Amino acid sequence: WSYESISVSWYGTWQSRQTLPGVEVETAGKFQPAFADATWVHDAAISWDPTEELTFTLGVNNITYEKPFVNELNRPASALGRSYYLRM
């Protein structure tokens, strides 16, 4: 959604069921628990463009505070749980 120099964004990311770190799919039946449940992760941002050259963005990642999968491939740039950012 946008109006004049303000825009609002909402993102949803579906994360399917995955094996936990250190568990291979072929041997998953030997481990309990072996899988992390599937989940939706929601992010939102609001931006303001005071000029054509300048944009301010305030955002929240993982609004619903879903427990993230703990591995190096899942959102490698974010903190565990909810995180906030301000970008210029």
Side-chain angles (χ1 to χ4, degrees):
W1 174 87
S2 63
Y3 178 74
E4 295 183 2
S5 64
I6 297 175
S7 63
V8 177
S9 303
W10 185 276
Y11 312 95
T13 304
W14 172 253
Q15 295 180 335
S16 181
R17 185 178 87 146
Q18 299 179 23
T19 58
L20 294 171
V23 177
E24 299 294 328
V25 173
E26 296 79 17
T27 60
K30 298 178 183 178
F31 298 94
Q32 292 297 326
F35 294 93
D37 294 333
T39 188
W40 277 98
V41 176
H42 299 277
D43 305 331
I46 184 166
S47 297
W48 173 51
D49 304 324
T51 69
E52 288 186 23
E53 296 83 23
L54 184 61
T55 301
F56 293 97
T57 303
L58 176 64
V60 180
N61 292 325
N62 197 359
I63 291 172
T64 56
Y65 209 82
E66 296 297 324
K67 182 178 178 183
F69 304 129
V70 182
N71 66 37
E72 68 279 0
L73 300 176
N74 181 58
R75 311 190 101 179
S78 70
L80 296 178
R82 184 179 302 129
S83 62
Y84 305 89
Y85 64 90
L86 175 62
R87 181 173 52 220
M88 289 185 5

